[in-house]
Every structure is written in C-alpha cells, then in structure tokens.
Amino acid sequence: MISLYEGGVYLVNGSQIIPEAEASKIKALTGADAKREEARKGTIAYSILKDHNTSGNMENLKLKFDAMASHDITFVGIVQTAKASGMEQFPIPYVLTNCHNTLCAVGGTINEDDHMFGLSAAKKYGGIYVPPHIAVIHQYMREMMAGCGKMILGSDSHTRYGALGTMAVGEGGGELVKQLLCDTYDVAYPGVVAVYLEGRPMPGVGPQDIALAIIGAVFKNGYVKNKVMEFVGPGIASMSTDYRNGVDVMTTETTCLSSIWQTDEDTKQYLSLHGREDDYRKLEPAELAYYDGCVYVNLSEVKPMIALPFHPSNTFTIDELNGNLGDILREVEKEGEKIGKGKAAFSLTDKIQDGKLMVQQGVIAGCAGGNYTNVAEAAHALKGKSCGWDEFSLAVYPSSQPVFMDLVKKGAVSDLMEAGAIVRTAFCGPCFGAGDTPCNNGLSVRHTTRNFPNREGSKPGSGQMAAVALMDARSIAATAANGGILTSAMELDCWDKVPAYEFDSSSYGRRVYQGFGKGDAEKELIYGPNIKDWPQMSPLADNILLKVCSKIMDAVTTTDELIPSGETSSYRSNPLGLAEFTLSRRDPEYVGRAKEVDKLEKARAEGRDPKELEPELTVIFDRIHAISGQETADPADTEIGSMIYAVKPGDGSAREQAASCQRVIGGLANITKEYATKRYRSNVINWGMLPFQMEADPEFEVGDYIYVPGIRRLLDGDLQNMKAYVLGTEIKEITLYMADMTPEEREIVKAGCLINFNRNARKTANNTGS
C-alpha cells in the first residue's frame, strides 16, 4: 500500500523512480549523467520557491507571499501586532474569515466584537472580509485565491492548497505580521519529498483514507518533517481536484512544511469553474528531478481507514480494527488513563456490543470533510436510510455557502435531513473543540483534521472526557446508516455517482467585503471590551535566570496542551486573559508559578532588588557568585523568567498563543529535546523567548533555577555548547544549544519580541531619515 524509500531518489520523466544508489541507470534513460544538485532544481517546489525568493541565495530563502489568510481567533492579534509595529495598509491581499468563533456562543459579545474588529480592519487597511457562516477559511482560499505557482501564508496550520498548484504555509501570527510590514519569511531551503501516487482509489475509499494511510506511514519516523511534500505520478489523474484537496489539507498532520501537486486538466477545470482560469498553468517535475525521499502510494490498495484517539497517526484499517477490537481498544484506553490523570475515566471496550463497536456521534465538517464531493457521497449513501433514534447522531457542515447552495439544489441536503442528520452552516468548531462535543465517555467519528486530546471539547480536569476517531465521510455515512455501528464504506455499493458540482459565487458577491487596495486610513478600528493591546515586554538582559515552572516528559506536547482550544479561543483577543489558560489541561499549577516569577522580573525592570520580594534569590545569587567568572554577577543585569521543559513541544496548530501566553506572564525560554514543528519554534522566537535544546535528559525539577551567563553574547555566536548552571544545593553544569537562527531572529529575541524589534527598526529609520 505505502512504502518509503531510504535516501534520495531521482524521478525520470515523471514516471520512473530511480533510487540514488542506482543513479548509474539514469544515463541509459536520459543520455546524461545524473547531477544531484542540478536535478534538485527539477522539482515543482524549487521553481515556486525560486520565484518567491528575494535573497538571491536559494540555500537561505527570504520569501514574499502572494496572499495571506487568517480567521477570527488569529486576525485580531495579528492586526494589533502589525499596528503596534507601524503598519499603515495591507500590502498584499489579506483574507479575514470568521469560521472559528462563528457561533458567538461563549463570553457574551466578545466573539462578534472580534468580527466587527475584523471588518473595521479590512476597511481601514484594505482587506477582504468573509462574514460568519459564509465559508471556512481554507475553502474560501481554494475557491477564490489559490492558483498555480502562487504562495499563500496563513495563520492556521492547515493552510494547504497544494492540489491547486499553490505552495501554502501555516504559521504563527508573527510571520504574517512580517509580511504585512513588507518583510520576508526566512527559512533554509527545505528538503523536498516525492509522494508518488499510482493506481486509483477503490469505490468507497475517500480522501481521508488516503491521507490517514500516508500520515500513519510518515509521522512517527519524521520522514517529511519540515519538508515539502510534492505529489506526482499517474495516480493523481484518478482523483478529482475536490478529492485531492481533501488529501492535501491533511498533509499538515505529517509535520511537513508545505505541499505541492502536479497540475492537469482537472485542475484547470476546477479553476475555470470558479471563474479563475487565468490562474492555471501546468506544473510538473522536469524530465529529471531529485527528491530527498519518496513516499510510494498504491492508491488501489488503500482501504477505509480509522485514526483512533489520540492522534491522526494512530491508524488502522477499519477491517483490521473490527477484526481485533478488544486488544486494539485496550491500548487506546491505556493512553486515555494518562490523559485523564485519575480525574476522568474513559473507556472504549464498553462500546463493544455483540462483537461490534458502537459509536455515539458522527461529524462531517470543515476544510477536510465539508467539501462538496464528501458531503454528496454521504448524502447518496444515506438516501432512504435512517441514522436511528438512539444515542448516535450525525452532524454535517458544508464548507462554504456555494457548496451548501449546490447541495441544496442537488437534493443532497434534504436526503441527509430525511435520514436524521443535522445540517449546519460553514464552521470549524467541531475540528477544535468548539462544537458538537459528544457525551461524557463518548466516542465521535469525524471527517475533520485532528483528534488530539480535548479537540472534541471535553474537559478531563473537570471529570469530563470524550474522544474522537478520524474517518472518511463515506465510512461515517455507512456507520450512520448502520445506526452507529462502526462500518466500512466498502460494505455499501453506492459510490462514485456524484453529480458534477456547479459553483455559484452570488453569496460571496453579496456578502464578502472586497477591500484590497481600498483602505481608508481615516477609518477607526472598532474595539470590543475584550480586545486588549499586548503588554509591554522587556529587552533581553546580559544574563538570564530561569525558574523551571513546568516539566513535561511526554513524548510529544501538542499546542492544544500548551494553550487549549475550544471555548478558550474566545479570549484570544485578550493576551493576559487568555494566558490564564496556559497549560491548564496539562499542568494547572503552571500559571500561578509563572506569575510569581514574573513579579520578580517586573521588580527588577523597575529598578528594585528582586531579592527583597523573594528571599531565596539571596541564596541563588550566592550560588551564582560561586561559579568561576561570575563572582560579580549583578542582579540588575540578570533577567528573571519562567521556563517550560518539554521533550518535543509544538505538534499541531500554528497558533502563536501557544508561545505568547507563556511570554506575557513572564516566560523567557523553552528547553526541549527537539521542536515538533518549525512553526512553534518560530512562535517562541517571535515572542522573544529563547528556543533552547539539550541532548541530555533534564537533571532539574520544577522549582529549580537555571542560570545562563552572557546570553546576549551567546546569541552572536554559533549557538552551540552554551554553558548553563542548575543552582541546587549542588551546582550542576549543563550544556544547551539552539538550532541556527537568522540574524533577524537573533535580534528579535534580544529586543524582547517582534513588536519591540519592529519598533526599534522604525525608530532607527526615523532617526536616519531613511
């Protein structure tokens, strides 16, 4: 079904894979010797990156994007940050959608206040504003913005439009701010991995099945981490572009940097259908292209899949699961015990009835599940059937008003409703825990993007726990038709009979504010009472003293654990208010510890002696003075901050708040074995925290202090072998390092955060008259 090549490969004429070890064969096929560095330029990714690079150096890219996108739990902070940094207009098309806090169900008026802020920002700075219920962020970008050879940056991790020939990247808000200030996205040239598709999907096998099969093969081994996945091969032609979009959006769950697909007549037809035929051009690898790896996928062998709690890579075929329910589900229950921590019980084996698994809920939604093809297939499978009157329920969210309208015209919506499904408007809530929370101890099967702990909206810390398994819409429909008994789509014979989609843009024409290039500086931003400015953050001192405020030894720590999703999203326009939820579902004592440390730093920044507030600092500085060369270390030159240790933090969402929430209550550093994603590490840097790593296991505990002398000087060096000291009764020397940082990133950390860096740059420009 799926196999991974060891080492690099050459792709000849787009159809023949030659492992690098067999490169001698290439001359017989092409008449020329294989030259790896030249063949690297033969990928689709290389040509697009080259067209968008402003550095003149393809090893160290400085990229400018064609467009950007944010939703209503990210755009307020981004606009606030850019405004504080001196932005006067949006220099490129910037789409502000309202698809996350759409329901305005939490916190009084604050969700709609954010929406009004977004509309006022679009009018003031020249943006594109998509009102609530009109479209989820990524569907709008597919329909109206993506095009062949483009690059799009989004403040959502699932910013992926590769099937439309667009290299799209999901990042934290700081990176979007840089684009708004006409700065660049700086990244070393990424590895490019071919995803070679052959064969065609069997009837009943949907895009989520293909995606989960790939994620299961590449996530745990990091095969495509921070690389570009380039989809090539004859199998692409067997899938419609709408189907390809459903595979492509899930590449985020592999931890790749971006994705790109070769394009064809179906891509052209999709763009033409959406009134954008001029955005089409044929993209394909050169006759000889070199890739840093290859994921070979035989589409004909992929079967309906399920990703069990609590990660999209926890994959099985549905047949495999149904054939071994007890053993497989007991393993998931063990993980559930760790998540519940004794406060919440969760079980799956109790849902086995007569040898079959009974689930409590089905959801088809968002940028992955709500596509026209998925919903239409589900409706066809459920036509004339019933979801039943028992505990199982089914909710369906078409991904945009145009999709919804055509499903209505085709009769699919009435078919779903007649079967007992609830059909709602475009909304991302079920994907991140803000909608359709199942019952306590419930299991929900969803065609959405993630199934991390708490993504379904439960609260283990309060004794409430449920879980999500990911499945394709076709198997969810089959399960619904079977009254909630887990059922593979291949048990039905009704697939591949979807009527052609007809796009009608009238809802966009009448509701979407198209303001790019029409900004009016005289317009005022509309602030609700929850929208707050970022608090002041100090520049980095000469030395730092870190207090360990959380130590997480889990194999991976997700951004959902660093700052929970769900109802907390309503507070993202209020930095200090949101910070109260930092690590609340993983380490509830963290916020209190960090705020106590922050009091010490605030005292130091005001010129007071922090030892007067915390007597133990007298002992700590005595220990610092005992270190050779630190006899005269001055508390006034030593910044005090909190620190989190996590083995591998940052898997999942691009949300910058996973880092900024630490920073605004005094966070100064993370120490890790590795960072799960580039985007989380970038967030740490953009919010002025030090992205430390260490190879050794941590020999410190919560409450310990770690002293790093000469940190500003170290930031000017090679970032390797940094001496630090754990200040216990015995002083222990440890070695820290940081992966390479650009000159700008080093200066951002020195300045204390991206806002300070930009303010400093503006002052310098004003003083020099440039």
Side-chain angles (χ1 to χ4, degrees):
M1 180 171 70
I2 294 181
S3 57
L4 308 180
Y5 281 73
E6 291 187 16
V9 304
Y10 291 89
L11 184 64
V12 181
N13 296 322
S15 62
Q16 191 166 357
I17 303 168
I18 305 293
E20 187 171 11
E22 301 172 21
S24 59
K25 296 178 180 178
I26 291 175
K27 187 167 186 178
L29 295 169
T30 66
D33 291 325
K35 296 180 179 179
R36 183 173 63 180
E37 293 310 310
E38 191 63 27
R40 283 186 188 275
K41 301 176 183 178
T43 65
I44 304 169
Y46 182 91
S47 63
I48 296 176
L49 290 169
K50 185 174 186 296
D51 287 346
H52 291 80
N53 181 35
T54 64
S55 72
N57 175 2
M58 286 299 290
E59 293 304 311
N60 294 292
L61 304 173
K62 288 182 171 291
L63 301 171
K64 288 201 170 183
F65 290 81
D66 299 296
M68 300 198 307
S70 294
H71 49 64
D72 48 340
I73 52 177
T74 57
F75 64 59
V76 176
I78 291 167
V79 171
Q80 288 280 73
T81 303
K83 170 177 167 282
S85 301
M87 178 195 67
E88 296 179 354
Q89 64 178 348
F90 295 159
I92 58 176
Y94 185 21
V95 178
L96 310 179
T97 68
N98 294 272
C99 53
H100 277 58
N101 282 335
T102 309
L103 297 183
C104 303
V106 178
T109 70
I110 62 179
N111 292 163
E112 186 63 10
D113 292 344
D114 287 349
H115 301 160
M116 289 301 98
F117 177 93
L119 179 58
S120 69
K123 291 178 178 179
K124 182 177 181 66
Y125 299 116
I128 300 166
Y129 177 83
V130 183
H133 304 284
I134 298 297
V136 301
I137 176 173
H138 303 309
Q139 185 65 11
Y140 183 86
M141 297 304 287
R142 293 167 185 156
E143 292 173 345
M144 304 303 292
M145 303 298 292
C148 301
K150 292 184 179 181
M151 290 195 75
I152 291 176
L153 183 65
S155 56
D156 183 272
S157 57
H158 291 100
T159 306
R160 291 284 187 271
Y161 317 121
L164 296 167
T166 296
M167 281 188 68
V169 179
E171 276 283 0
E175 295 302 324
L176 279 78
V177 170
K178 292 176 185 177
Q179 296 289 309
L180 292 175
L181 299 173
C182 298
D183 203 346
T184 56
Y185 178 75
D186 300 346
V187 62
Y189 186 83
V192 182
V193 173
V195 183
Y196 188 87
L197 305 180
E198 197 164 60
R200 65 180 304 113
M202 292 184 283
V205 171
Q208 188 82 325
D209 298 316
I210 308 298
L212 292 178
I214 294 172
I215 293 164
V218 304
F219 172 77
K220 291 176 183 175
N221 55 25
Y223 192 79
V224 297
K225 180 180 175 180
N226 293 332
K227 296 181 173 66
V228 177
M229 297 176 73
E230 183 159 308
F231 287 76
V232 295
I236 289 177
S238 71
M239 300 178 285
S240 71
T241 299
D242 194 54
Y243 189 109
R244 298 172 202 174
N245 285 334
V247 177
D248 183 62
V249 71
M250 292 298 292
T251 59
T252 296
E253 303 313 316
T254 68
T255 68
C256 74
L257 177 70
S258 185
S259 63
I260 191 69
W261 295 54
Q262 65 184 51
T263 60
D264 57 16
E265 284 301 308
D266 198 84
T267 321
K268 183 177 181 180
Q269 182 181 352
Y270 182 97
L271 291 168
S272 178
L273 177 67
H274 291 84
R276 299 190 294 112
E277 187 172 352
D278 290 346
D279 282 334
Y280 175 76
R281 65 184 173 94
K282 189 170 181 59
L283 299 176
E284 59 184 354
E287 292 183 3
L288 183 64
Y290 177 83
Y291 294 90
D292 297 284
C294 180
V295 181
Y296 171 83
V297 183
N298 187 335
L299 297 170
S300 304
E301 296 179 353
V302 177
K303 294 183 178 181
M305 304 288 295
I306 184 169
L308 288 172
F310 295 92
H311 198 277
S313 64
N314 191 18
T315 54
F316 302 86
T317 68
I318 294 176
D319 289 344
E320 179 185 6
L321 173 61
N322 278 334
N324 194 18
L325 278 173
D327 289 344
I328 294 174
L329 296 182
R330 276 188 285 273
E331 288 302 310
V332 180
E333 287 175 337
K334 291 178 183 177
E335 186 64 23
E337 289 175 9
K338 297 178 185 176
I339 293 163
K341 294 185 176 63
K343 294 182 178 180
F346 178 74
S347 58
L348 288 172
T349 50
D350 64 332
K351 298 168 181 58
I352 302 173
Q353 300 177 9
D354 298 324
K356 298 177 180 179
L357 181 62
M358 183 73 192
V359 300
Q360 286 66 57
Q361 183 192 70
V363 177
I364 300 169
C367 57
N371 296 6
Y372 171 81
T373 305
N374 296 329
V375 178
E377 288 267 45
H380 190 67
L382 282 166
K383 185 177 178 65
K385 298 184 174 65
S386 171
C387 297
W389 48 260
D390 213 330
E391 61 187 43
F392 178 82
S393 64
L394 175 64
V396 180
Y397 297 75
S399 56
S400 69
Q401 282 289 77
V403 169
F404 201 154
M405 288 166 63
D406 202 44
L407 289 166
V408 169
K409 292 173 185 175
K410 299 289 197 310
V413 170
S414 60
D415 289 342
L416 287 166
M417 288 181 168
E418 286 174 8
I422 303 300
V423 183
R424 299 191 173 103
T425 50
F427 179 42
C428 296
C431 189
F432 69 98
D436 285 303
T437 306
C439 63
N440 183 58
N441 201 44
L443 175 64
S444 178
V445 290
R446 300 188 176 189
H447 192 157
T448 56
T449 56
R450 289 199 176 115
N451 63 335
F452 294 167
N454 315 325
R455 289 287 288 201
E456 74 298 311
S458 63
K459 299 178 179 179
S462 300
Q464 308 163 16
M465 187 168 172
V468 166
L470 299 182
M471 282 171 38
D472 188 83
R474 292 148 190 80
S475 290
I476 293 173
T479 298
N482 205 5
I485 295 171
L486 185 71
T487 305
S488 165
M490 296 187 75
E491 294 189 25
L492 301 183
D493 183 19
C494 60
W495 309 113
D496 300 337
K497 299 173 183 176
V498 176
Y501 175 56
E502 298 171 82
F503 176 72
D504 181 347
S505 65
S506 59
S507 58
Y508 289 163
R510 291 169 181 143
R511 287 293 297 136
V512 174
Y513 176 77
Q514 296 285 347
F516 178 61
K518 305 173 186 176
D520 183 351
E522 299 302 313
K523 295 283 187 182
E524 295 293 331
L525 292 174
I526 299 174
Y527 287 85
N530 183 62
I531 298 175
K532 305 295 183 182
D533 291 328
W534 293 104
Q536 189 73 27
M537 282 161 270
S538 302
L540 187 67
D542 292 335
N543 313 304
I544 58 173
L545 181 62
L546 304 173
K547 188 166 189 179
V548 183
C549 286
S550 188
K551 180 182 177 183
I552 304 172
M553 299 303 294
D554 298 349
V556 177
T557 302
T558 69
T559 46
D560 283 273
E561 292 171 300
L562 291 164
I563 183 65
S565 56
E567 81 280 7
T568 61
S569 301
S570 297
Y571 299 94
R572 290 199 193 177
S573 303
N574 182 340
L576 290 172
L578 181 65
E580 294 291 332
F581 297 97
T582 312
L583 280 175
S584 60
R585 296 179 186 171
R586 183 60 186 82
D587 185 355
E589 305 303 317
Y590 164 77
V591 169
R593 298 184 196 118
K595 290 168 78 171
E596 288 301 311
V597 178
D598 194 38
K599 290 178 184 176
L600 304 179
E601 171 54 24
K602 283 184 167 62
R604 186 199 70 87
E606 293 169 358
R608 293 183 289 150
D609 187 346
K611 290 183 287 186
E612 295 175 1
L613 293 179
E614 179 51 72
E616 75 170 334
L617 285 181
T618 300
V619 176
I620 293 300
F621 273 95
D622 286 344
R623 289 171 183 163
I624 291 172
H625 296 152
I627 300 168
S628 177
Q630 301 299 312
E631 296 86 350
T632 59
D634 188 347
D637 298 325
T638 303
E639 186 172 356
I640 307 170
S642 58
M643 183 275 286
I644 290 174
Y645 177 89
V647 176
K648 188 179 179 181
D651 185 24
S653 170
R655 70 184 70 131
E656 64 181 299
Q657 292 87 354
S660 67
C661 280
Q662 298 171 48
R663 182 62 172 142
V664 299
I665 53 173
L668 191 51
N670 282 186
I671 300 180
T672 74
K673 286 269 190 182
E674 64 174 305
Y675 290 88
T677 57
K678 175 200 173 297
R679 54 185 174 267
Y680 175 68
R681 183 175 182 269
S682 294
N683 289 335
V684 169
I685 292 168
N686 284 330
W687 283 104
M689 293 194 294
L690 293 146
F692 287 126
Q693 292 176 242
M694 62 184 293
E695 294 180 0
D697 291 333
E699 295 187 60
F700 47 77
E701 301 298 334
V702 170
D704 286 346
Y705 284 92
I706 300 173
Y707 177 65
V708 187
I711 187 61
R712 291 183 69 91
R713 173 180 51 79
L714 292 172
L715 279 168
D716 292 328
D718 64 4
L719 307 182
Q720 302 300 303
N721 299 314
M722 299 177 176
K723 288 185 178 180
Y725 303 89
V726 181
L727 305 173
T729 51
E730 176 187 350
I731 299 173
K732 299 177 185 175
E733 182 178 312
I734 60 174
T735 301
L736 305 175
Y737 72 96
M738 289 184 261
D740 194 29
M741 297 165 65
T742 67
E744 290 84 359
E745 287 175 329
R746 297 173 193 232
E747 294 304 317
I748 288 168
V749 173
K750 287 182 186 177
C753 65
L754 180 63
I755 295 174
N756 292 356
F757 171 79
N758 289 325
R759 284 174 176 162
N760 295 344
R762 192 165 79 252
K763 288 178 184 176
T764 300
N766 291 338
N767 290 338
T768 59
S770 60

